[in-house]
């Protein structure tokens, strides 16, 4: 079902069409754009609240600035649905986040209006500043706008960029702080309190409005008017606000706060700011989920709700006819609380993802022992290291793709010092519709090369619980990495007794004689399915290795002495990953078996469901089955597949 756009929106194919509208029509278009997002996401799913909150801001930006000549960087990317719709992708918007369709985030290869790929957060100011400096060098008179919001300003990289921007006063950079007091969960930390202080200062805001009136009349007062208005504004901020100079301390001109849902005022302010040179920051207040009451009321729930009934607000879920396995994140969330009740040294840490990783369960049960540190992965890791130096046992839960940002801290602050920090890497492997910026493709490779670190992955929920239990034991006080995928597990009855696992010990899950499959993580379940599919004519052994580091060398010796054909399967990159570790072992010990590695190739894999992406890469059950057939074919062994 294709969603029919409104009367004005259906004729907007680029921002130039937008500029032809008068004020009344612009308001109507704004309403049609918001409704189009609601209609589409209710049917097809996707991120929701963030883009509803930026409808007016998006409309004003493309109305005032000359995009794509003026370069617009969105941060974080899931607030840019309106931007995509207004820049030529309206008729493709129903394919958003669908296999083969458009990306859920701005993407350079997709449109010239997407000036920078932004799946992660806190990068926009750095990117836009780089663009501005380059264009200064090329004498190219264009504007560079970084829209940073949905919690992204809490990332340290944003502050590094502001520090640099303030030192480059000839750059034409506009930073728009989209302040909705949210990321996925409510924002935390001193910055949130500071911004709240600004927005609630009634005296300052009253005088600020008068300053804006003066700035709006700048052309009538001659060349010194901007300097005079700036001095008035700065003095009012310094007088009425105790902490007024956070942004000015970076040598950025601060303007605001302004109502991010007052379209006329946004247009007026942005027109004024176009004439003010140098790096500057506009503080815009918005409401996440604006214009859809349920999303405004419960902003975390409506960050990415899936499909829903837009009239009733009921989020649609498939009827549950039998007991279902939990999501792996829920297993983590409940198990860490269970362990923390037994071990009072356990603490939980996450960078702005308490509901996404289910640490919110511990935060509710034991608020003094669980910490959301904001979008600050590097800090999360070193903070955990600091906890560990004092005898705490921190479980630091970070999505696999976001852990890449804290790699230096993992090495220097945790592993070199051999500290007892347990990294739980959620969303490992293919993340699904979020696409390549969110795929956890590399952690097996980048973790296994670090000394002192144990690297493991569970095949099911029971194994995840046992790995968490094993990692927190005092006798195992060293760094650990436990990775698990997004989505549901395989065990409806998952709450099994906690048992210690011998570190570096795999397990044989199926006997066989003809060929061996070595797996790491949940793809072991695919291997079992594939083995059953060829069971009539091929006796396939399946080994759940559990550990990439240390490898179970005794088990590998057993495998390579017995089998001349071996398959490795992993939901991770082939270059340097689990299969590479097995291949290294094979070469080091001079085994000559034929080895086939299945996993994520050396390529950027786009978005789709997890199964679609597994199929594309050939390590779904069908792909594994076909590999078994292919490897056994040279021995003239006929393999029939069960219907």
């Amino acid at each position: 079902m294709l969603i029919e756009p409104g009367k004005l929106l259906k004729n907007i194919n680029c921002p130039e069409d937008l500029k032809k509208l008068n004020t009344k029509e612009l308001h109507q278009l704004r309403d049609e754009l918001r409704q189009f997002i609601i209609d589409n996401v209710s049917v097809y799913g996707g991120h929701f609240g963030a883009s509803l909150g930026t409808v007016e801001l998006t409309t004003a930006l493309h109305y005032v600035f000359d995009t794509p000549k003026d370069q617009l960087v969105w941060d974080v990317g899931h607030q840019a649905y309106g931007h995509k719709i207004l820049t030529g992708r309206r008729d493709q918007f129903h394919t958003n986040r669908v296999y083969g369709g458009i990306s859920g985030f701005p993407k350079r290869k997709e449109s010239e209006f997407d000036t920078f790929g932004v799946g992660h957060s806190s990068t926009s100011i750095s990117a836009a500043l780089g663009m501005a400096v380059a264009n200064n060098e090329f004498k190219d008179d264009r504007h560079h706008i970084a829209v940073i919001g949905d919690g992204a300003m809490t990332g340290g990289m944003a502050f590094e960029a502001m520090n640099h921007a303030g030192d480059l006063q000839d750059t034409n950079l506009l930073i728009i702080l989209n302040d909705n007091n949210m990321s996925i969960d409510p924002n935390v930390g001193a910055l949130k309190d500071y911004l709240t202080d600004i927005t609630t200062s009634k005296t300052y805001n009253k005088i600020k409005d008068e300053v804006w009136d003066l700035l709006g009349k700048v052309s009538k007062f001659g060349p010194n008017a901007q300097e005079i208005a700036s001095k008035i504004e700065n003095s009012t901020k310094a007088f009425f606000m105790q902490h007024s100079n956070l942004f000015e301390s970076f040598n950025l001109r601060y303007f605001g706060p302004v109502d991010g849902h007052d379209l006329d005022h946004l247009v007026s302010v942005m027109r004024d700011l176009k004439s003010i040179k140098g790096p500057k920051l506009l503080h815009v207040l918005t409401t996440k989920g604006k214009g859809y009451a349920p999303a405004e009321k419960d902003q975390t729930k409506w960050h990415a709700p899936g499909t829903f009934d837009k009239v009733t607000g009921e989020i649609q879920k498939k009827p549950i006819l039998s007991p279902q396995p939990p999501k792996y994140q829920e297993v983590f969330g409940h198990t860490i609380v269970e362990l923390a009740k037994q071990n009072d040294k356990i603490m939980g840490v996450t960078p702005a993802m308490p509901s996404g990783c289910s640490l919110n369960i511990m935060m509710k049960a034991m608020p003094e022992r669980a910490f959301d540190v904001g979008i600050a992965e590097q800090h999360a890791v070193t903070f955990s290291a600091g906890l560990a130096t004092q005898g705490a046992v921190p479980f630091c839960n970070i999505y696999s793709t976001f852990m890449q940002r804290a790699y230096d801290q993992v090495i220097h602050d945790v592993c070199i010092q051999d500290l007892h920090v347990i990294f739980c890497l959620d969303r490992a492997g293919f993340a699904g519709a979020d696409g390549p910026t969110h795929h956890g493709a590399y952690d097996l490779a980048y973790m296994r090369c670090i000394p002192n670190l144990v690297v493991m992955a569970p095949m099911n929920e029971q194994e995840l619980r046992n790995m968490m239990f094993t990692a927190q034991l005092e006798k195992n006080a060293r760094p650990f990495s436990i990775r698990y995928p997004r989505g549901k597990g395989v065990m409806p009855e998952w709450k099994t007794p906690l048992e210690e696992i011998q570190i570096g010990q795999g397990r044989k899950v199926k006997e066989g004689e003809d060929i061996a499959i070595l797996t790491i993580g949940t793809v072991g379940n695919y291997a079992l399915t594939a083995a059953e599919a060829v069971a009539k004519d091929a006796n396939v052994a399946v080994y759940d290795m559990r550990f990439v580091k240390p490898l179970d060398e005794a088990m590998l010796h057993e495998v390579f002495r017995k089998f001349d054909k071996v398959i490795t399967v992993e939901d991770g990159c082939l270059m340097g990953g689990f299969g590479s570790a097995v291949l290294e072992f094979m070469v080091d010990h001079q085994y000559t078996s034929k080895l086939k590695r299945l996993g994520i190739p050396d390529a950027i894999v786009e978005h789709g469901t997890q199964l679609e992406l597994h199929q594309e890469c050939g390590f779904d059950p069908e792909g594994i089955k076909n590999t078994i057939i292919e490897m056994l074919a040279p021995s003239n062994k006929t393999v029939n597949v069960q219907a």
Side-chain angles (χ1 to χ4, degrees), residues 544-560:
D544 171 26
M545 295 302 294
R546 299 199 289 199
F547 294 86
V548 174
K549 184 177 184 179
L551 284 169
D552 188 338
E553 295 198 356
M555 181 169 282
L556 289 178
H557 280 299
E558 173 190 320
V559 168
F560 285 108

Side-chain angles (χ1 to χ4, degrees), residues 236-253:
T236 59
K237 282 185 281 195
F239 184 79
F240 288 107
M241 299 183 62
Q242 184 179 0
H243 305 292
S244 64
N245 289 319
L246 174 63
F247 298 112
E248 278 112 355
S249 67
F250 289 112
N251 211 15
L252 301 173
R253 296 281 301 281

Side-chain angles (χ1 to χ4, degrees), residues 24 63 91 98 104 134 151 196 201 291 306 371 398 469 558 578 637:
K24 182 179 179 181
Y63 191 67
D91 295 340
V98 175
T196 301
S201 175
F371 302 91
I398 303 180
F469 174 73
E558 173 190 320
F578 165 65
K637 184 174 183 67

Side-chain angles (χ1 to χ4, degrees), residues 67-343:
T67 56
K69 178 188 174 184
D70 291 336
Q71 299 191 302
L72 180 58
V73 182
W74 291 92
D75 178 7
V76 289
H78 56 236
Q79 59 182 338
Y81 282 7
H83 161 80
K84 282 179 172 270
I85 293 164
L86 294 178
T87 55
R89 287 162 281 182
R90 178 194 63 239
D91 295 340
Q92 292 78 43
F93 190 65
H94 66 283
T95 71
N96 179 48
R97 293 164 53 88
V98 175
Y99 187 68
I102 65 172
S103 171
F105 303 100
K107 185 175 181 179
R108 281 175 57 83
K109 290 183 178 179
E110 189 176 287
S111 170
E112 64 177 335
F113 291 92
D114 294 356
T115 62
F116 203 77
V118 280
H120 285 195
S121 76
S122 313
T123 59
S124 59
I125 303 175
S126 297
L129 180 62
M131 295 172 184
V133 169
N135 286 316
N136 268 2
E137 187 69 22
F138 304 144
K139 308 300 182 185
D140 193 348
D141 184 22
R142 60 175 71 182
H143 296 274
H144 309 86
I145 308 105
V147 183
I148 182 166
D150 227 34
M153 188 62 93
T154 64
M157 189 174 172
F159 287 84
E160 295 173 20
M162 286 192 291
N163 183 55
H164 189 198
D167 196 40
L168 301 173
Q169 287 296 305
D170 60 342
T171 53
N172 202 1
L173 174 69
L174 170 61
I175 302 166
I176 297 180
L177 171 56
N178 173 30
D179 180 7
N180 61 14
N181 201 31
M182 290 288 293
S183 52
I184 293 176
D185 296 280
N187 283 346
V188 296
L191 178 64
K192 176 207 69 174
D193 295 335
Y194 167 73
L195 294 176
T196 301
D197 211 25
I198 292 178
T199 62
T200 55
S201 175
K202 294 180 180 178
T203 306
Y204 163 63
N205 277 281
K206 179 178 183 296
I207 295 184
K208 176 266 299 178
D209 290 338
E210 297 171 4
V211 172
W212 270 114
D213 288 341
L214 178 59
L215 286 172
K217 300 170 183 174
V218 105
S219 60
K220 301 177 182 178
F221 290 91
N224 295 322
Q226 290 182 17
E227 182 180 352
I228 295 169
S230 177
K231 288 180 178 178
I232 294 172
E233 185 191 31
N234 289 337
S235 65
T236 59
K237 282 185 281 195
F239 184 79
F240 288 107
M241 299 183 62
Q242 184 179 0
H243 305 292
S244 64
N245 289 319
L246 174 63
F247 298 112
E248 278 112 355
S249 67
F250 289 112
N251 211 15
L252 301 173
R253 296 281 301 281
Y254 172 86
F255 300 95
V258 299
D259 181 355
H261 301 298
D262 185 338
L263 182 57
D264 293 338
H265 190 48
L266 281 175
V267 169
S268 174
V269 166
M270 288 180 189
R271 282 175 171 161
D272 287 341
L273 290 178
K274 285 180 72 173
S275 65
I276 298 175
K277 300 297 183 182
K280 48 200 171 286
L281 185 143
L282 173 64
H283 185 183
V284 175
L285 306 179
T286 63
T287 300
K288 192 168 183 175
K290 179 69 175 179
Y292 190 71
E296 292 186 37
K297 184 177 180 181
D298 191 342
Q299 296 175 344
T300 297
K301 178 180 178 181
W302 287 86
H303 173 75
T307 59
F308 59 94
D309 185 319
K310 67 180 181 182
V311 177
T312 66
E314 180 182 0
I315 296 175
Q316 296 165 349
K317 297 182 178 179
K318 294 181 180 179
I320 299 174
L321 304 177
S322 61
Q324 295 294 305
K327 295 178 180 178
Y328 282 101
Q329 68 188 61
E330 294 167 347
V331 176
F332 164 82
H334 290 290
T335 302
I336 192 174
V337 172
E338 184 179 345
L339 292 172
K341 288 177 180 177
Q342 302 172 16
N343 183 350

Side-chain angles (χ1 to χ4, degrees), residues 347-369:
M347 293 186 174
V349 178
T350 187
M353 303 302 291
S355 61
C357 76
S358 291
L359 189 67
N360 57 349
I361 298 172
M362 186 181 187
M363 293 175 75
K364 183 177 181 180
M366 305 172 177
E368 72 286 354
R369 293 169 62 184

